Amino acid sequence: MTDIKYILDDNVDDSINQQLIALLSRCFTKPSDERFKVQRYYNEMPQHRWYIESPSGDAIIAHLAVHEKTVLLRSQQALIGGVAEVCVHPDYRGHGYVKLLLKQAHNWMAQQGYVYSVLFGRDEVYSSSGYERVTNLYLVGEEVPPRATSVSAMVTSLTDKKWPHFKVELKGLAF
């Protein structure tokens, strides 16, 4: 059985920080991912993390983070988990670690009252975990007047509430 660990980002110590930076910089290699050589997040720090350690316990080999976010569904707000920094060390891929991490995070988010889980990823990786591609999510910037930009994302419901077909707004940065 694989041991999945949870940690609040506020409790990440220097050792875990360095292990996360090592893993993220190994997994994410596009020019825009250079930031992972010095930090454990893309645009903003997530609040929650799940990870799996190597059998020897000396390195993190799989990881995902969750941002606490809200989306605006017409005039109603809904709590979502923004899944980010999902990665598995190349030497440990093919063992279902992403599915295990997602299942653990989904269970936790559902218990906390999150309605949806949202991520920016590839269909071939995430559809088997219940995610579907949507194009009606709009990132709303902080500028005045605010500008809404349509983005392609993947969503899964954590309740019996289906993702709506109308415009859904997410304030702030992509995660």
Side-chain angles (χ1 to χ4, degrees), residues 155-168:
V155 173
T156 192
S157 179
L158 302 169
T159 67
D160 60 356
K161 209 172 193 179
K162 296 243 184 269
W163 183 259
H165 295 288
F166 52 80
K167 182 178 181 179
V168 177

Side-chain angles (χ1 to χ4, degrees), residues 51-66:
Y51 62 93
I52 299 169
E53 293 179 324
S54 64
S56 62
D58 62 346
I60 295 174
I61 60 166
H63 168 268
L64 77 69
V66 171

Side-chain angles (χ1 to χ4, degrees), residues 4-164:
I4 298 173
K5 297 188 176 186
Y6 165 82
I7 190 168
L8 272 170
D9 191 80
D10 287 347
N11 296 332
V12 170
D13 63 18
D14 190 55
S15 173
I16 293 173
N17 181 57
Q18 292 307 314
Q19 291 177 60
L20 288 171
I21 288 171
L23 178 65
L24 294 169
S25 63
R26 177 82 190 259
C27 292
F28 297 107
T29 58
K30 294 185 306 213
S32 62
D33 296 331
E34 286 285 311
R35 64 190 80 197
F36 288 122
K37 291 182 178 179
V38 295
Q39 66 189 36
R40 64 181 183 268
Y41 61 95
Y42 190 76
N43 278 328
E44 63 183 353
M45 195 70 78
Q47 289 85 0
H48 310 279
R49 296 180 182 275
W50 285 261
Y51 62 93
I52 299 169
E53 293 179 324
S54 64
S56 62
D58 62 346
I60 295 174
I61 60 166
H63 168 268
L64 77 69
V66 171
H67 295 262
E68 295 176 4
K69 298 283 187 174
T70 56
V71 290
L72 192 59
L73 310 171
R74 293 197 170 123
S75 61
Q76 301 262 319
Q77 285 197 339
L79 184 62
I80 68 161
V83 175
E85 286 101 39
V86 179
C87 65
V88 177
H89 189 284
D91 294 347
Y92 293 91
R93 292 181 182 159
H95 298 283
Y97 291 151
V98 169
K99 278 188 181 179
L100 290 172
L101 288 166
L102 284 168
K103 183 177 180 185
Q104 191 90 3
H106 289 165
N107 289 339
W108 181 87
M109 286 188 275
Q111 290 171 0
Q112 303 303 311
Y114 290 66
V115 181
Y116 305 105
S117 177
V118 178
L119 58 80
F120 301 97
R122 298 190 330 255
D123 293 32
E124 62 271 18
V125 175
Y126 299 102
S127 61
S128 64
S129 292
Y131 285 85
E132 295 179 357
R133 176 76 46 200
V134 298
T135 56
N136 63 333
L137 182 65
Y138 288 76
L139 292 180
V140 179
E142 302 292 328
E143 64 275 350
V144 178
R147 193 179 82 213
T149 306
S150 174
V151 293
S152 178
M154 297 194 78
V155 173
T156 192
S157 179
L158 302 169
T159 67
D160 60 356
K161 209 172 193 179
K162 296 243 184 269
W163 183 259

